[in-house]
Amino acid sequence: MEKINCPLCGARDGVVLFKRKDLVYNISDDYFSVVRCPACDLSYVSPRPTEEEIKDFYPDLFYRTNLDGQKLLHRQCLATHLKLKTLPDVSVMNRDSRILDIGCSRGEFLHVMKSFGFDVYGVEFNERAVSPFDVNIFHGTLNEAA
């Protein structure tokens, strides 16, 4: 685990908002702190797993689903519409805008946003996350992506 400065402005010593363990997969006993930057108010996780450690937090089960593509999309559409209602700036964005989803899994969000007319791209470190959708996903790290 690594403690990081604010990824937006670089300020140190974020204020802890809350701490949580992984309650879904119970991979480790580590607690994850969500902190708020004292300078710019961005909330982020610190400490966080390193690039080498992060893959250990996503077991095979995370990428398996008994839902087919249509059911995955239905679930993602509902979640996306709720997000768009709470983010008015996103709902009025120029539809020629590009979206980059880092940690895009199977690309459900990208597929939904593509249907709204956005130019979408994803980065997913785990090659087990196979997408059934026609979206641009780079498998690797963000630093390796073009």
Side-chain angles (χ1 to χ4, degrees):
M1 299 286 274
E2 62 183 352
K3 184 174 180 181
I4 64 165
N5 294 336
C6 175
L8 185 60
C9 74
R12 301 173 147 222
D13 301 323
V15 177
V16 176
L17 299 176
F18 61 89
K19 294 181 179 188
R20 291 287 192 288
K21 284 180 63 171
D22 170 23
L23 300 175
V24 177
Y25 299 107
N26 205 19
I27 298 294
S28 87
D29 290 329
D30 291 320
Y31 278 82
F32 298 91
S33 297
V34 174
V35 299
R36 177 170 289 140
C37 177
C40 71
D41 286 335
L42 178 72
S43 295
Y44 59 96
V45 175
S46 182
R48 66 181 186 189
T50 64
E51 190 173 310
E52 294 78 34
E53 295 170 325
I54 190 69
K55 292 180 182 181
D56 296 335
F57 288 87
Y58 292 89
D60 288 342
L61 182 61
F62 180 83
Y63 297 101
R64 289 189 201 147
T65 180
N66 58 355
L67 300 176
D68 63 23
Q70 289 300 322
K71 289 181 183 174
L72 280 171
L73 283 179
H74 178 71
R75 186 171 67 183
Q76 185 63 53
C77 281
L78 294 175
T80 301
H81 284 288
L82 288 174
K83 288 175 189 172
L84 289 176
K85 285 181 182 179
T86 63
L87 300 170
D89 292 340
V90 173
S91 64
V92 297
M93 281 177 62
N94 180 340
R95 294 303 191 241
D96 293 329
S97 297
R98 290 183 281 174
I99 292 176
L100 173 62
D101 186 2
I102 301 169
C104 66
S105 189
R106 293 175 297 265
E108 302 97 294
F109 174 73
L110 294 172
H111 182 78
V112 171
M113 297 311 288
K114 184 178 179 179
S115 73
F116 290 142
F118 290 97
D119 187 15
V120 299
Y121 300 88
V123 176
E124 173 57 46
F125 72 82
N126 197 317
E127 62 279 348
R128 293 175 293 179
V130 178
S131 180
F133 312 112
D134 182 27
V135 292
N136 298 310
I137 297 177
F138 175 81
H139 285 89
T141 67
L142 181 60
N143 290 336
E144 296 169 340

